[in-house]
């Protein structure tokens, strides 16, 4: 399939570059085509989401939790992308038709909140429009745990493991990062 990567170069995350390199290697080894957005500025990201053509979206960036559940994903140049912006016929039709997976490796993006019309947040928005899967941490995670989790998760999926098994193995491997309990933050919605 095709993967769209959103990995800002100005995030200051120590392991983001290594995660990008891992994904490039993974794509080569497993015949995955990259339709990454480089640099991931908001206008380009929105254009890529509207254009469709992806089976998977992966982000390695900063995220923030908010009381309203808007939980912005911070793109290049500190531009915020919120779940409320993943709307419109082009984006929603593609997600509904292709049922892509979303891995947002950014702190707090698994959190949901209440809005005027009901539950809000990335998981709720993406699954409501038809995404096949959403993976993100519920709270802050360290760079080393994030990198370990992602590498293991993708390698396990490549072995044709079930999502639940890949998730369990990735959390267990991330747990091995000494003295860091943030491995517990990762959750899956599908």
């Amino acid at each position: 399939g095709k993967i769209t990567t959103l990995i800002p170069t100005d995030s200051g995350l120590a392991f983001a570059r290594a995660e990008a390199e891992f994904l490039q290697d993974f794509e080569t080894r497993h015949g995955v085509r990259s339709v990454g957005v480089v640099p991931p500025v908001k206008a380009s990201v929105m254009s890529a989401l509207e254009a469709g053509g992806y089976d998977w979206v992966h982000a390695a960036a900063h995220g923030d939790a908010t009381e309203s559940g808007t939980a912005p994903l911070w793109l290049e140049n500190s531009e915020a992308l919120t779940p409320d912006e993943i709307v419109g016929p082009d984006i929603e039709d593609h997600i509904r038709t292709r049922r892509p997976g979303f891995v947002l490796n950014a702190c707090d993006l698994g959190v949901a909140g209440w809005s005027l019309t009901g539950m809000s947040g990335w998981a709720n928005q993406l699954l409501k429009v038809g995404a096949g899967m959403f993976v993100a941490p519920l709270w802050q995670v360290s760079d080393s745990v994030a990198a370990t989790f992602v590498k293991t998760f993708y390698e396990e999926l490549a072995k044709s493991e079930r999502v639940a098994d890949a998730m369990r193995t990735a959390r267990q491997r991330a747990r091995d990062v000494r003295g860091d309990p943030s491995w517990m933050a990762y959750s899956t919605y599908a």
Side-chain angles (χ1 to χ4, degrees):
K2 296 178 185 175
I3 184 169
T4 294
T5 54
L6 310 174
I7 304 176
T9 59
D10 62 355
S11 69
L13 294 169
F15 285 87
R17 183 75 205 132
E19 194 166 322
E21 291 169 0
F22 163 76
L23 288 169
Q24 289 171 345
D25 177 62
F26 183 86
E27 293 162 4
T28 301
R29 288 185 290 121
H30 297 286
V32 177
R33 289 181 291 158
S34 178
V35 287
V37 180
V38 180
V41 294
K42 189 171 184 173
S44 297
V45 170
M46 291 304 293
S47 292
L49 293 174
E50 290 167 356
Y54 56 87
D55 301 300
W56 203 267
V57 175
H58 179 93
H62 286 291
D64 284 321
T66 63
E67 287 183 25
S68 66
T70 57
L73 172 67
W74 295 103
L75 303 171
E76 194 83 14
N77 303 324
S78 298
E79 295 177 319
L81 178 66
T82 66
D84 296 337
E85 296 171 297
I86 307 300
V87 295
D90 293 334
I91 294 173
E92 292 179 24
D93 287 348
H94 174 75
I95 292 174
R96 194 173 294 109
T97 303
R98 292 284 275 271
R99 300 192 47 81
F102 289 80
V103 176
L104 303 185
N105 200 13
C107 297
D108 301 315
L109 294 191
V111 173
W114 287 99
S115 71
L116 227 52
T117 58
M119 289 296 291
S120 65
W122 284 99
N124 187 64
Q125 178 63 21
L126 290 168
L127 295 177
K128 180 173 69 176
V129 297
M133 179 191 72
F134 174 75
V135 174
L138 293 168
W139 57 81
Q140 287 186 347
V141 294
S142 70
D143 273 1
S144 57
V145 164
T148 301
F149 175 85
V150 162
K151 288 177 183 177
T152 306
F153 183 69
Y154 281 110
E155 293 297 352
E156 291 299 307
L157 284 178
K159 295 178 188 175
S160 298
E161 294 294 327
R162 294 180 304 168
V163 171
D165 294 335
M167 184 72 174
R168 182 176 30 262
T169 301
R171 289 181 82 203
Q172 289 171 340
R173 190 87 34 84
R175 182 181 60 199
D176 294 340
V177 176
R178 291 198 160 285
D180 191 338
S182 63
W183 62 271
M184 294 182 279
Y186 284 94
S187 56
T188 303
Y189 302 84

